[in-house]
Amino acid sequence: MSAFGPNIIEIDDLEAPELDVYARLTERQLYDHHRPGEGLFIAESPKVIERALDAGYIPVSFLLERKHINGEAKGILSRCAGIPVYTAAFDVLTRLTGFSLTRGALCAMRRRPLPTVEEVCAGARRIAVLEDVVNPTNVGAIFRSAAALGMDGVLLTPACSNPLYRRSVRVSMGTVFQIPWTFFDRGSAGKPWQGIGSLKKLGFTTVAMALRADPIRIDHPTLAAEKRLAIVLGAEGDGLSPATIADCDHTVCIPMAHGVDSLNVAAASAVAFWALKI
């Protein structure tokens, strides 16, 4: 069937336990699966898988549409000798996973221990901070903009959607593997996260993207001149918490027209990153 040897496994039983990671485990179960505290994630499409491999992530298995074994995935498989490759026709894979595979390729990969906030910020001049952004599509889109528009890292509050959820990884086009990121520690029970203070101690000027009276325009020259800037973006709908806005050095707005009051957080992030990059 293929030049890649006996690790190519034709799927003949959709209930095989080896396929659970692709068909029956939730994102949270993947996070806890196999290695407590590390777990697995799913990378989707040859380009995204390749970027994960380039970043040093370790593959566990592949799920491929049959035609890609000697096609789009050939170069990837040549880098992963001995890794199990489960394969079938496209319609079988769709029945198995419950969705149409992007470019016919999935890869289960091991998570890695996350860096500390201090490690992400070391040497950074522009940092994106996400507060309680729970939509994985928005998280993925923000990462793509952050990587493309000059952010040096991304920090997330504990309530944010995990950047290694399958949809976030796919929407980001694998940029979650190219830009440093981590989560802030959880605050004490009943208290909000305390990340703004820690960023100030690390030398960052903090700007809250929020709708408030008398904000600074995003194109204000003093902002672009800051040596170290943390751009803080809030949750879909509610935006940043009042406590976070109060803690930040500046409140910043994007000028709007036609009576529009705000942008989706992913769109707002792209504008902010472009306007405030070095």
Side-chain angles (χ1 to χ4, degrees), residues 254-261:
I254 299 170
M256 300 283 171
H258 299 293
V260 177
D261 61 355

Side-chain angles (χ1 to χ4, degrees), residues 160-177:
C160 284
S161 178
N162 195 290
L164 293 185
Y165 284 173
R166 183 184 66 84
R167 187 164 183 81
S168 292
V169 171
R170 179 166 66 83
V171 171
S172 81
M173 288 299 295
T175 55
V176 294
F177 309 124

Side-chain angles (χ1 to χ4, degrees), residues 7-223:
N7 59 310
I8 306 296
I9 304 164
E10 186 77 20
I11 295 171
D12 56 15
D13 178 8
L14 296 184
E15 299 302 318
E18 296 84 357
L19 302 176
D20 285 349
V21 293
Y22 300 108
R24 287 173 285 278
L25 296 185
T26 65
E27 294 281 12
R28 183 160 294 279
Q29 288 170 324
L30 283 170
Y31 181 80
D32 295 329
H33 185 66
H34 201 74
R35 287 191 177 183
E38 295 182 23
L40 304 176
F41 68 92
I42 303 297
E44 182 179 358
S45 86
K47 180 181 288 293
V48 169
I49 294 168
E50 187 168 26
R51 285 180 171 171
L53 292 173
D54 289 344
Y57 286 89
I58 304 300
V60 173
S61 67
F62 291 91
L63 183 68
L64 297 179
E65 186 180 355
R66 189 183 296 120
K67 69 179 183 179
H68 291 314
I69 292 173
N70 288 302
E72 289 192 47
K74 184 174 182 178
I76 293 170
L77 297 184
S78 69
R79 300 173 60 178
C80 302
I83 301 298
V85 179
Y86 301 101
T87 186
F90 183 82
D91 61 331
V92 175
L93 299 183
T94 299
R95 292 206 312 272
L96 173 68
T97 62
F99 58 88
S100 296
L101 274 65
T102 301
R103 311 295 288 186
L106 296 178
C107 181
M109 309 187 93
R110 298 196 191 284
R111 290 175 177 263
R112 299 190 306 208
L114 291 176
T116 64
V117 169
E118 290 75 16
E119 287 170 338
V120 171
C121 291
R125 301 184 68 185
R126 294 292 185 267
I127 290 288
V129 180
L130 308 187
E131 181 183 71
D132 301 353
V133 179
V134 298
N135 186 309
T137 298
N138 283 336
V139 170
I142 291 169
F143 265 85
R144 189 172 182 179
S145 293
L149 299 173
M151 296 298 104
D152 299 310
V154 179
L155 302 174
L156 305 97
T157 63
C160 284
S161 178
N162 195 290
L164 293 185
Y165 284 173
R166 183 184 66 84
R167 187 164 183 81
S168 292
V169 171
R170 179 166 66 83
V171 171
S172 81
M173 288 299 295
T175 55
V176 294
F177 309 124
Q178 297 178 314
I179 184 168
W181 62 272
T182 197
F183 284 95
F184 286 100
D185 292 335
R186 293 186 180 276
S188 303
K191 294 183 179 180
W193 66 290
Q194 303 296 314
I196 297 300
S198 67
L199 290 173
K200 290 182 179 181
K201 290 178 181 178
L202 291 170
F204 285 91
T205 298
T206 54
V207 297
M209 302 295 299
L211 299 174
R212 289 293 186 272
D214 300 320
I216 297 175
R217 284 175 55 105
I218 198 167
D219 54 357
H220 197 287
T222 61
L223 296 177

